[in-house]
């Protein structure tokens, strides 16, 4: 039982990170009906933003602590948000009226661009770097074999707060209403007087900023960072979004938690080498059994 | 109020509108009739800024609105009840109506307009909390027209309000269109395949055929025109 609880806690904290990244995929899909394959790389950039702040003389002077964490989170969120808006503006917007496949392939191009430009020696370099400590890790619960550390709590709390904040933003504000209308029908939204280009930029900003927050949480727990590190978490978060029903915001959150738990359970009970395989097995299973995902509405979309 | 001059619009390599000109005077109901694929919807979408103007121009009052962003055109006072209604399926009837008033901020006036819509279409008041996607075709049409009215437009564009509607409701919808025009004096441009109904409510009519205007005149005159009777009124 303790073993199960431990795996569940590990899974939920990993899943919280996937959920944050998955929200970006699903929000952008909701409005533009395409998968932003560069999203995982925006996540990667987020870890480097944190890395450069922490290793700068400013970050060194601050040292680990709560204030440092707040600064690093806000910077990564802002940086990733702006990067997302820029990518949309430069790469996707000019192709708005083209077939979806064109934009999709462009997204893959942007993804490669970020990954391989990042590996240049004068950018991030190909060698992994070690993400410095943001806050000291402490043991919160330690009873028998059950261990919960402060990072797991931080990850969980930050993710939940951001998700609730997102929900408020979407359900209660004017721009949130505009976003909901735009994701139901972009043309109809513009006929209501909604500036749909602004809504799309806003969607990219929020979605990418959530990936930025996820990036810091991820790098805190897995402090080896490199320019290709966004690929796998990005894919898994994408699968989480598909599992929850792409375009469905609560679905993406639930999907993230399920994927995270499935991964740690498999690693704990079956074999650690299968932890990635299980996620892709879930993707294949869901695509066969219920392609619209757990909470998705029907309808087919060519991707 | 609205003057379109030599308007040309392309879909890819295909010319959808080949240089059409027409005029909608203030306070009137003008109709554009024609068969499927004649370019009626294209015309309305272009006025609303959803299609690119290749040549010619669209003037709203003194202002050239060709190739302006759709949301700016709404802000100038042109709203549309689009083809296929495009109701927001996941929003309630009330939320759909409030989306129509998205650019407005005067709470009191918005509520007055809401009441006006309910007086025109009492059915909407009964369905207030229901999701837009669960309404019948006729109810959705009432909602689409009301939603467009919620912008308090100077010019209302109506795209095929007869489409997919039970015959009984059809009569009612067109009666209401006349009533709205009389009540609040809003200018209307009505696009229709159902020429019979369109000619009844409109004062002036243009006939659109494969992207060009082939005939125009007062509605009563066109209704007795032999060609129109044969081609569009089934006589």
């Amino acid at each position: 039982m303790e073993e199960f609880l431990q795996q569940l806690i590990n899974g939920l904290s990993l899943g919280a990170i996937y959920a944050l990244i998955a929200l970006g995929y699903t929000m952008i899909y909701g409005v533009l009906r395409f998968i932003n394959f560069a999203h995982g790389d925006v996540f990667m950039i987020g870890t480097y933003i944190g890395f450069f702040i922490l290793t700068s003389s400013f970050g060194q002077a601050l040292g680990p602590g709560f204030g440092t964490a707040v600064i690093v989170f806000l910077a990564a969120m802002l940086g990733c948000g702006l990067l997302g808006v820029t990518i949309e503006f430069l790469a996707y917007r000019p192709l708005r009226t083209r077939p979806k496949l064109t934009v999709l392939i462009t997204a893959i191009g942007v993804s490669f661009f970020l990954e391989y430009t990042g590996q240049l020696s004068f950018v991030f370099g190909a060698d992994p770097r070690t993400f410095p400590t943001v806050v000291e890790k402490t043991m919160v619960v330690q009873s028998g074999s059950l261990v919960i550390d402060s990072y797991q709590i931080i990850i969980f709390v930050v993710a939940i707060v951001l998700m609730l904040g997102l929900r408020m933003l979407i359900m209660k504000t004017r721009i949130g209403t505009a976003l909901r209308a735009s994701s139901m029908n972009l043309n109809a939204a513009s006929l209501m007087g909604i500036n749909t280009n602004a809504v799309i930029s806003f969607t990219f900003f929020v979605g990418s900023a959530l990936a930025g927050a996820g990036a810091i949480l991820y790098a805190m727990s897995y402090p080896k960072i490199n320019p290709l590190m966004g690929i796998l978490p990005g894919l898994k978060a994408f699968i989480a979004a598909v599992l929850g029903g792409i375009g469905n915001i609560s679905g993406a959150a639930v999907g993230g938690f399920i994927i995270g738990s499935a991964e740690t359970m498999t690693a704990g009970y079956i074999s650690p080498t299968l932890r990635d395989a299980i996620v892709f097995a879930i993707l294949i299973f869901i695509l066969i059994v219920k392609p619209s995902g757990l909470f998705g509405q029907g309808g087919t979309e060519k991707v | 109020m609205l003057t379109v001059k030599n308007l040309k619009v392309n879909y890819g390599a295909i010319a959808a509108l080949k240089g059409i000109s027409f005029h909608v005077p203030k306070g009137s109901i003008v109709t554009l009739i024609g068969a499927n694929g004649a370019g009626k919807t294209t015309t309305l979408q272009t006025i609303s800024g959803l299609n690119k103007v290749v040549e010619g121009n669209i003037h709203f009052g003194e202002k050239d609105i060709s190739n302006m962003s759709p949301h700016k055109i709404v802000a100038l006072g042109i709203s549309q009840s689009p083809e296929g209604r495009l109701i927001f399926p996941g929003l309630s009837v009330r939320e759909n109506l409030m989306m129509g008033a998205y650019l407005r901020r005067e709470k009191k006036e918005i509520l007055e307009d809401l009441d006006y819509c309910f007086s025109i279409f009492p059915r909407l008041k009964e369905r207030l909390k229901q999701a837009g996607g669960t309404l019948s075709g006729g109810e959705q049409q009432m909602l689409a027209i009301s939603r467009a009215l919620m912008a308090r437009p100077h010019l209302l564009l109506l795209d095929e309000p007869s489409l997919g509607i039970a015959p009984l409701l059809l009569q009612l919808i067109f009666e209401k269109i006349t009533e709205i025009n009389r009540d609040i004096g809003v200018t209307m441009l009505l696009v229709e395949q159902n020429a019979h109904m369109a000619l009844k409510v409109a004062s002036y009519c243009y006939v659109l055929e494969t992207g060009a205007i082939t005939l125009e005149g007062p509605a009563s005159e066109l209704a007795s025109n032999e060609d129109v009777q044969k081609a569009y009124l089934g006589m």
Side-chain angles (χ1 to χ4, degrees), chain A residues 174-175 177-178 180-182 184-185 187-196 199, chain B residues 48 50 70-71 74 80 82 86 88-91 95 99-100 102-105 147:
Chain A
R174 200 174 137 80
I175 181 88
T177 312
R180 279 190 293 154
S182 302
M184 287 176 213
N185 190 316
N187 270 351
S190 66
L191 290 177
M192 302 297 111
I194 293 170
N195 182 348
T196 46
V199 169
Chain B
S48 280
L50 294 173
H71 68 276
V74 178
Q80 184 178 157
L86 305 189
F88 299 110
L91 299 185
E95 286 173 314
M99 284 311 302
Y102 182 78
L103 290 177
R104 299 172 57 193
R105 299 199 183 255
R147 187 180 63 178

Side-chain angles (χ1 to χ4, degrees), chain B residues 68-207:
Chain B
M68 219 184 237
S69 305
H71 68 276
K72 287 186 183 151
I73 292 173
V74 178
L76 285 177
I78 302 181
S79 70
Q80 184 178 157
S81 165
E83 182 186 35
R85 307 177 281 260
L86 305 189
I87 296 303
F88 299 110
L91 299 185
S92 71
V93 168
R94 191 192 156 88
E95 286 173 314
N96 264 288
L97 289 168
M98 293 311 276
M99 284 311 302
Y102 182 78
L103 290 177
R104 299 172 57 193
R105 299 199 183 255
E106 342 78 73
K107 268 236 162 70
K108 194 170 149 269
E109 288 177 29
I110 292 175
L111 292 178
E112 279 171 22
D113 289 356
L114 210 53
D115 281 337
Y116 176 71
C117 291
F118 296 151
S119 74
I120 292 283
F121 299 116
R123 192 81 70 89
L124 292 180
K125 195 169 187 180
E126 296 162 23
R127 302 263 186 270
L128 211 52
K129 288 191 175 138
Q130 213 169 308
T134 64
L135 300 184
S136 75
E139 289 165 347
Q140 285 196 5
Q141 191 57 57
M142 297 174 189
L143 180 54
I145 294 173
S146 303
R147 187 180 63 178
L149 282 177
M150 289 302 292
R152 208 175 254 205
H154 301 300
L155 173 64
L156 178 61
L157 308 176
L158 296 168
D159 198 344
E160 298 235 27
S162 72
L163 202 73
I165 286 186
L168 264 176
L169 278 179
L170 191 66
Q171 196 73 35
L172 174 97
I173 298 254
F174 278 86
E175 274 166 23
K176 295 300 182 182
I177 288 173
T178 321
E179 198 178 320
I180 294 164
N181 174 258
R182 207 178 43 223
D183 283 356
I184 56 176
V186 59
T187 312
M188 294 180 184
L189 175 57
L190 167 69
V191 146
E192 258 305 337
Q193 259 190 83
N194 188 330
H196 183 71
M197 295 308 283
L199 287 170
K200 255 191 196 167
V201 300
S203 55
Y204 201 84
C205 173
Y206 294 86
V207 178

Side-chain angles (χ1 to χ4, degrees), chain A residues 58-215:
Chain A
F58 168 71
Q60 304 247 295
L62 276 176
F66 179 73
T68 315
V70 172
I71 292 172
V72 168
F73 268 106
L74 291 180
M77 289 179 75
L78 184 67
C80 287
L82 293 177
L83 178 63
V85 172
T86 311
I87 291 173
E88 190 276 325
F89 186 78
L90 293 179
Y92 306 151
R93 186 165 300 188
L95 304 173
R96 186 75 56 76
T97 55
R98 304 293 173 80
K100 288 282 178 289
L101 189 62
T102 313
V103 194
L104 201 75
I105 292 167
T106 305
I108 295 171
V110 173
S111 168
F112 284 158
F113 175 80
L114 294 175
E115 286 164 15
Y116 293 92
T117 312
Q119 289 191 59
L120 295 173
S121 56
F122 55 88
V123 187
F124 306 144
D127 294 331
R129 311 250 197 147
T130 307
F131 195 79
T133 310
V134 182
V135 283
E136 296 299 344
K137 194 186 222 172
T138 53
M139 290 302 146
V140 180
V141 177
Q142 203 161 12
S143 81
S145 63
L146 185 69
V147 179
I148 303 175
D149 64 46
S150 57
Y151 279 15
Q152 289 174 315
I153 308 258
I154 291 172
I155 289 171
F156 202 73
V157 170
V158 169
I160 295 291
V161 166
L162 287 174
M163 284 179 215
L164 291 178
L166 178 68
R167 194 180 162 74
M168 289 281 286
L169 186 71
I170 287 173
M171 301 307 289
K172 302 278 183 219
T173 65
R174 200 174 137 80
I175 181 88
T177 312
L179 199 157
R180 279 190 293 154
S182 302
S183 65
M184 287 176 213
N185 190 316
L186 212 52
N187 270 351
S190 66
L191 290 177
M192 302 297 111
I194 293 170
N195 182 348
T196 46
N197 274 331
V199 169
I200 289 166
S201 293
F202 176 77
T203 307
F204 270 84
F205 184 85
V206 174
S208 306
L210 292 173

